[in-house]
Amino acid sequence: MAENNTEPREIETEQEMTQNGTNEAGSGDKPNRITKFPMTRIKTIMKTDPDVTLASQESVVLISRATELFLEHFAKSAYAYTSRNKRKTIKRQDVDSSVDAMDAYAFLEGTFE
């Protein structure tokens, strides 16, 4: 019988993916990308702020990478509540519990309503 592992799976680092010959998408046929999000989309979102007139390529990369790290941490936090309830699918209540439990996510309170 298969062992039921409730621990979140580890995500490969960029160095491991390079050593394995795959990119972030895992296809192996495209060159490695710096970030997972499209840079033009991130730049467009950044320019919606009236205080931003120009956005350098470096700033777009940093914002994109910071977004990736935030979403990774947030998803792992929500998954912790999912695994405690012995489920495999993250539900809204798991996300809400994660937001309520961590002070760092206080800015997200009420955004899912």
Side-chain angles (χ1 to χ4, degrees), residues 34-94:
I34 296 172
T35 64
K36 296 178 185 178
F37 295 122
M39 301 302 243
T40 55
R41 181 70 51 92
I42 297 293
K43 193 169 191 171
T44 302
I45 293 169
M46 287 173 65
K47 285 189 172 186
T48 61
D49 184 352
D51 295 334
V52 177
T53 55
L54 293 174
S56 69
Q57 188 66 22
E58 293 86 8
S59 66
V60 176
V61 169
L62 288 174
I63 294 293
S64 181
R65 187 66 181 134
T67 303
E68 289 174 21
L69 293 173
F70 170 76
L71 288 175
E72 181 181 327
H73 189 267
F74 186 62
K76 285 180 180 181
S77 175
Y79 181 75
Y81 288 96
T82 303
S83 63
R84 287 181 196 157
N85 293 323
K86 298 180 180 166
R87 287 184 279 109
K88 292 183 180 179
T89 304
I90 296 175
K91 293 184 177 181
R92 181 178 170 173
Q93 69 188 27
D94 302 322

